[in-house]
Amino acid sequence: MSLAARTAPLRLAASLGRHPRRIMAGIGLLLLGTGVTAFGIAPMAPDAATLPVHQVIEALAAEPLTLELPATAVPFVLYRSDTVRRDDTAQSLLQRLGVLDAAASEFLRNDPTARQLFGGRTGKLVTVETNDRQELMRLSARWLPDEGRVFHRLVIEPGADGLSARVETGALVASTKLAGGVIRSSLFAATDEAGLPENVAVQLAEIFGSDIDFRRDLRQGDRFSVVYESLEADGESLRAGRVLSAVFVNQERAHEAVWFEAPGQKGAYYGFDGQSSRKTFLSSPLEFTRVSSGYGMRFHPISGRQKAHLGVDYAAPSGTPVRTISDGVVSFAGWQRGYGNVIEISHRDNKSTLYAHLSRIDVRRGQQVEQGERVGAVGSTGASTGPHLHFEFRDRGVHQDPLEVARRSETVPLSPALRSQFDAVAQAQRLHLDAAATIEQASAE
């Protein structure tokens, strides 16, 4: 071996000692280049597009899908509600409620208690529960027997001996409702737009009727806010109750009213300042109605000629209660030619009122009556074209416009002993009215 060959390892070692980083970097580049070259020349996999395609079809056995519910599964129950219509039968009502149950239909036709569902007033609210075979599991119906604060509940359900029926009596629960609106054409158009029940609209007209002539004084842009009761049975509203407070702005003048009823005393409406809204004469002899013909000249519906109308006519269904507008004594109760059944009541200071075309008379001559007391019922007796009340007011025998008389009548003051109780009620109602005012503003916008 030559000297150079023998000394080469020694020179390499010495060089590594002097330049270790340069030599290691060179070795790394050499290896990387070799790797890249190896990658570059590695053979590629076959192109998938050139491979042969084979279709394989194989029949599979499908087992039927079965769903087994546990024995403790909740029964399938359907709930539906509707109201009883005038021409309803047991079959038509159950069919509309989705009940296909011949036994239930027969029971409704023949059971005396169950047949109360189709008697009396229509509009009874009915709720049924059925199973998945549309068989009746339970039927309940609710309705108002009168204008009081109770309701009747009819319950029909199966027992050991088949279907049974019972009637229960429950107390209506009052909740508070708020509403507001703006006059664009008439009071009733505005209250309809606001979604108010009709009897609430009529109460508004009655509360403020002594201060506002709703036929002649209304202007576009007049507005109102109202708080009233909703009377509910089992969570369902059956009718609206009393107006609890209200504000009516007519021609930029605000008229206010709040209901206050002290224990053991007759309630009345007052202003929020404690001044009574209760007048000597009520604005109307009917609680819920509309004026169909006012005081003055008119085209007479029977004679066909222009004739002075010396009273006010109120359109209302036959049987609607008629009340006296003030304290007094019955001076006549009987038949008067074209007026049919008539009641005349004498009041203080030689004033009197007359109620005509009545279907019934509930008082007798000489009987004392109080303001708001029922004296008869609306009818169509005598010379009448349909059910209505003809009402007259006389001062010393001279006819006057009853609506004007009510507006001019004196107020009945609040007792000072009740002022603190009234203030508490008024404060609570003011808060409700403030909330109702936001609804009125939204309606205006």
PDB file of all heavy atoms in Angstrom, residues 330-346:
ATOM      1  N   VAL A 330    -143.126  52.573  40.046  1.00  0.00           N
ATOM      2  CA  VAL A 330    -143.835  52.158  38.835  1.00  0.00           C
ATOM      3  C   VAL A 330    -145.236  52.775  38.851  1.00  0.00           C
ATOM      4  O   VAL A 330    -146.038  52.506  39.752  1.00  0.00           O
ATOM      5  CB  VAL A 330    -143.923  50.627  38.744  1.00  0.00           C
ATOM      6  CG1 VAL A 330    -144.722  50.220  37.504  1.00  0.00           C
ATOM      7  CG2 VAL A 330    -142.528  50.011  38.727  1.00  0.00           C
ATOM      8  N   SER A 331    -145.517  53.617  37.852  1.00  0.00           N
ATOM      9  CA  SER A 331    -146.839  54.272  37.769  1.00  0.00           C
ATOM     10  C   SER A 331    -147.778  53.543  36.816  1.00  0.00           C
ATOM     11  O   SER A 331    -148.996  53.701  36.895  1.00  0.00           O
ATOM     12  CB  SER A 331    -146.676  55.729  37.313  1.00  0.00           C
ATOM     13  OG  SER A 331    -146.006  55.794  36.064  1.00  0.00           O
ATOM     14  N   PHE A 332    -147.225  52.728  35.905  1.00  0.00           N
ATOM     15  CA  PHE A 332    -148.067  51.945  34.981  1.00  0.00           C
ATOM     16  C   PHE A 332    -147.294  50.711  34.546  1.00  0.00           C
ATOM     17  O   PHE A 332    -146.089  50.771  34.269  1.00  0.00           O
ATOM     18  CB  PHE A 332    -148.465  52.779  33.763  1.00  0.00           C
ATOM     19  CG  PHE A 332    -149.341  52.041  32.784  1.00  0.00           C
ATOM     20  CD1 PHE A 332    -150.728  52.022  32.952  1.00  0.00           C
ATOM     21  CD2 PHE A 332    -148.795  51.349  31.715  1.00  0.00           C
ATOM     22  CE1 PHE A 332    -151.541  51.330  32.057  1.00  0.00           C
ATOM     23  CE2 PHE A 332    -149.605  50.651  30.829  1.00  0.00           C
ATOM     24  CZ  PHE A 332    -150.981  50.650  31.003  1.00  0.00           C
ATOM     25  N   ALA A 333    -148.002  49.594  34.453  1.00  0.00           N
ATOM     26  CA  ALA A 333    -147.423  48.346  33.952  1.00  0.00           C
ATOM     27  C   ALA A 333    -148.523  47.559  33.278  1.00  0.00           C
ATOM     28  O   ALA A 333    -149.385  46.978  33.931  1.00  0.00           O
ATOM     29  CB  ALA A 333    -146.790  47.543  35.093  1.00  0.00           C
ATOM     30  N   GLY A 334    -148.535  47.568  31.943  1.00  0.00           N
ATOM     31  CA  GLY A 334    -149.587  46.872  31.203  1.00  0.00           C
ATOM     32  C   GLY A 334    -149.527  47.164  29.720  1.00  0.00           C
ATOM     33  O   GLY A 334    -148.461  47.498  29.178  1.00  0.00           O
ATOM     34  N   TRP A 335    -150.682  47.075  29.043  1.00  0.00           N
ATOM     35  CA  TRP A 335    -150.758  47.197  27.578  1.00  0.00           C
ATOM     36  C   TRP A 335    -151.215  48.601  27.200  1.00  0.00           C
ATOM     37  O   TRP A 335    -152.154  49.133  27.770  1.00  0.00           O
ATOM     38  CB  TRP A 335    -151.714  46.161  27.022  1.00  0.00           C
ATOM     39  CG  TRP A 335    -151.758  46.119  25.508  1.00  0.00           C
ATOM     40  CD1 TRP A 335    -152.542  46.864  24.696  1.00  0.00           C
ATOM     41  CD2 TRP A 335    -150.982  45.276  24.670  1.00  0.00           C
ATOM     42  NE1 TRP A 335    -152.304  46.549  23.389  1.00  0.00           N
ATOM     43  CE2 TRP A 335    -151.341  45.567  23.333  1.00  0.00           C
ATOM     44  CE3 TRP A 335    -150.011  44.295  24.902  1.00  0.00           C
ATOM     45  CZ2 TRP A 335    -150.778  44.918  22.243  1.00  0.00           C
ATOM     46  CZ3 TRP A 335    -149.446  43.646  23.815  1.00  0.00           C
ATOM     47  CH2 TRP A 335    -149.830  43.958  22.504  1.00  0.00           C
ATOM     48  N   GLN A 336    -150.514  49.189  26.186  1.00  0.00           N
ATOM     49  CA  GLN A 336    -150.899  50.499  25.662  1.00  0.00           C
ATOM     50  C   GLN A 336    -150.876  50.467  24.139  1.00  0.00           C
ATOM     51  O   GLN A 336    -149.851  50.748  23.513  1.00  0.00           O
ATOM     52  CB  GLN A 336    -149.963  51.611  26.166  1.00  0.00           C
ATOM     53  CG  GLN A 336    -150.237  52.097  27.566  1.00  0.00           C
ATOM     54  CD  GLN A 336    -149.425  53.353  27.903  1.00  0.00           C
ATOM     55  OE1 GLN A 336    -148.804  53.959  27.027  1.00  0.00           O
ATOM     56  NE2 GLN A 336    -149.431  53.739  29.171  1.00  0.00           N
ATOM     57  N   ARG A 337    -151.941  50.093  23.525  1.00  0.00           N
ATOM     58  CA  ARG A 337    -152.142  50.152  22.076  1.00  0.00           C
ATOM     59  C   ARG A 337    -150.855  49.841  21.285  1.00  0.00           C
ATOM     60  O   ARG A 337    -150.310  48.757  21.384  1.00  0.00           O
ATOM     61  CB  ARG A 337    -152.717  51.519  21.683  1.00  0.00           C
ATOM     62  CG  ARG A 337    -154.105  51.760  22.291  1.00  0.00           C
ATOM     63  CD  ARG A 337    -154.584  53.167  22.039  1.00  0.00           C
ATOM     64  NE  ARG A 337    -153.772  54.138  22.760  1.00  0.00           N
ATOM     65  CZ  ARG A 337    -153.958  55.440  22.708  1.00  0.00           C
ATOM     66  NH1 ARG A 337    -154.949  55.942  21.945  1.00  0.00           N
ATOM     67  NH2 ARG A 337    -153.206  56.268  23.401  1.00  0.00           N
ATOM     68  N   GLY A 338    -150.403  50.822  20.457  1.00  0.00           N
ATOM     69  CA  GLY A 338    -149.240  50.571  19.601  1.00  0.00           C
ATOM     70  C   GLY A 338    -147.947  50.319  20.339  1.00  0.00           C
ATOM     71  O   GLY A 338    -146.997  49.757  19.780  1.00  0.00           O
ATOM     72  N   TYR A 339    -147.881  50.712  21.620  1.00  0.00           N
ATOM     73  CA  TYR A 339    -146.680  50.476  22.404  1.00  0.00           C
ATOM     74  C   TYR A 339    -146.588  49.050  22.930  1.00  0.00           C
ATOM     75  O   TYR A 339    -145.531  48.631  23.418  1.00  0.00           O
ATOM     76  CB  TYR A 339    -146.635  51.442  23.596  1.00  0.00           C
ATOM     77  CG  TYR A 339    -146.120  52.825  23.253  1.00  0.00           C
ATOM     78  CD1 TYR A 339    -146.232  53.863  24.170  1.00  0.00           C
ATOM     79  CD2 TYR A 339    -145.520  53.084  22.036  1.00  0.00           C
ATOM     80  CE1 TYR A 339    -145.755  55.133  23.875  1.00  0.00           C
ATOM     81  CE2 TYR A 339    -145.051  54.347  21.720  1.00  0.00           C
ATOM     82  CZ  TYR A 339    -145.169  55.371  22.640  1.00  0.00           C
ATOM     83  OH  TYR A 339    -144.696  56.622  22.335  1.00  0.00           O
ATOM     84  N   GLY A 340    -147.670  48.284  22.839  1.00  0.00           N
ATOM     85  CA  GLY A 340    -147.646  46.930  23.361  1.00  0.00           C
ATOM     86  C   GLY A 340    -147.495  46.926  24.872  1.00  0.00           C
ATOM     87  O   GLY A 340    -148.105  47.739  25.574  1.00  0.00           O
ATOM     88  N   ASN A 341    -146.687  46.017  25.372  1.00  0.00           N
ATOM     89  CA  ASN A 341    -146.417  45.961  26.817  1.00  0.00           C
ATOM     90  C   ASN A 341    -145.549  47.151  27.219  1.00  0.00           C
ATOM     91  O   ASN A 341    -144.460  47.371  26.652  1.00  0.00           O
ATOM     92  CB  ASN A 341    -145.707  44.655  27.184  1.00  0.00           C
ATOM     93  CG  ASN A 341    -146.637  43.466  27.162  1.00  0.00           C
ATOM     94  OD1 ASN A 341    -147.811  43.579  27.500  1.00  0.00           O
ATOM     95  ND2 ASN A 341    -146.112  42.311  26.760  1.00  0.00           N
ATOM     96  N   VAL A 342    -146.030  47.902  28.205  1.00  0.00           N
ATOM     97  CA  VAL A 342    -145.384  49.161  28.581  1.00  0.00           C
ATOM     98  C   VAL A 342    -145.193  49.232  30.092  1.00  0.00           C
ATOM     99  O   VAL A 342    -146.031  48.746  30.858  1.00  0.00           O
ATOM    100  CB  VAL A 342    -146.221  50.372  28.115  1.00  0.00           C
ATOM    101  CG1 VAL A 342    -145.714  51.668  28.743  1.00  0.00           C
ATOM    102  CG2 VAL A 342    -146.182  50.489  26.607  1.00  0.00           C
ATOM    103  N   ILE A 343    -144.080  49.867  30.488  1.00  0.00           N
ATOM    104  CA  ILE A 343    -143.841  50.207  31.896  1.00  0.00           C
ATOM    105  C   ILE A 343    -143.527  51.694  31.949  1.00  0.00           C
ATOM    106  O   ILE A 343    -142.708  52.203  31.176  1.00  0.00           O
ATOM    107  CB  ILE A 343    -142.655  49.412  32.486  1.00  0.00           C
ATOM    108  CG1 ILE A 343    -142.963  47.916  32.513  1.00  0.00           C
ATOM    109  CG2 ILE A 343    -142.328  49.903  33.897  1.00  0.00           C
ATOM    110  CD1 ILE A 343    -141.771  47.061  32.890  1.00  0.00           C
ATOM    111  N   GLU A 344    -144.172  52.402  32.872  1.00  0.00           N
ATOM    112  CA  GLU A 344    -143.868  53.801  33.137  1.00  0.00           C
ATOM    113  C   GLU A 344    -143.409  53.928  34.582  1.00  0.00           C
ATOM    114  O   GLU A 344    -144.011  53.328  35.483  1.00  0.00           O
ATOM    115  CB  GLU A 344    -145.085  54.692  32.896  1.00  0.00           C
ATOM    116  CG  GLU A 344    -145.476  54.827  31.433  1.00  0.00           C
ATOM    117  CD  GLU A 344    -146.583  55.849  31.237  1.00  0.00           C
ATOM    118  OE1 GLU A 344    -146.372  57.023  31.615  1.00  0.00           O
ATOM    119  OE2 GLU A 344    -147.659  55.472  30.728  1.00  0.00           O
ATOM    120  N   ILE A 345    -142.344  54.701  34.786  1.00  0.00           N
ATOM    121  CA  ILE A 345    -141.778  54.887  36.125  1.00  0.00           C
ATOM    122  C   ILE A 345    -141.679  56.373  36.416  1.00  0.00           C
ATOM    123  O   ILE A 345    -141.164  57.151  35.600  1.00  0.00           O
ATOM    124  CB  ILE A 345    -140.388  54.220  36.226  1.00  0.00           C
ATOM    125  CG1 ILE A 345    -140.513  52.716  35.985  1.00  0.00           C
ATOM    126  CG2 ILE A 345    -139.757  54.489  37.596  1.00  0.00           C
ATOM    127  CD1 ILE A 345    -139.190  51.990  35.979  1.00  0.00           C
ATOM    128  N   SER A 346    -142.166  56.764  37.594  1.00  0.00           N
ATOM    129  CA  SER A 346    -142.077  58.157  38.046  1.00  0.00           C
ATOM    130  C   SER A 346    -140.823  58.335  38.893  1.00  0.00           C
ATOM    131  O   SER A 346    -140.527  57.522  39.774  1.00  0.00           O
ATOM    132  CB  SER A 346    -143.305  58.530  38.871  1.00  0.00           C
ATOM    133  OG  SER A 346    -144.489  58.428  38.083  1.00  0.00           O
TER     134      SER A 346
END
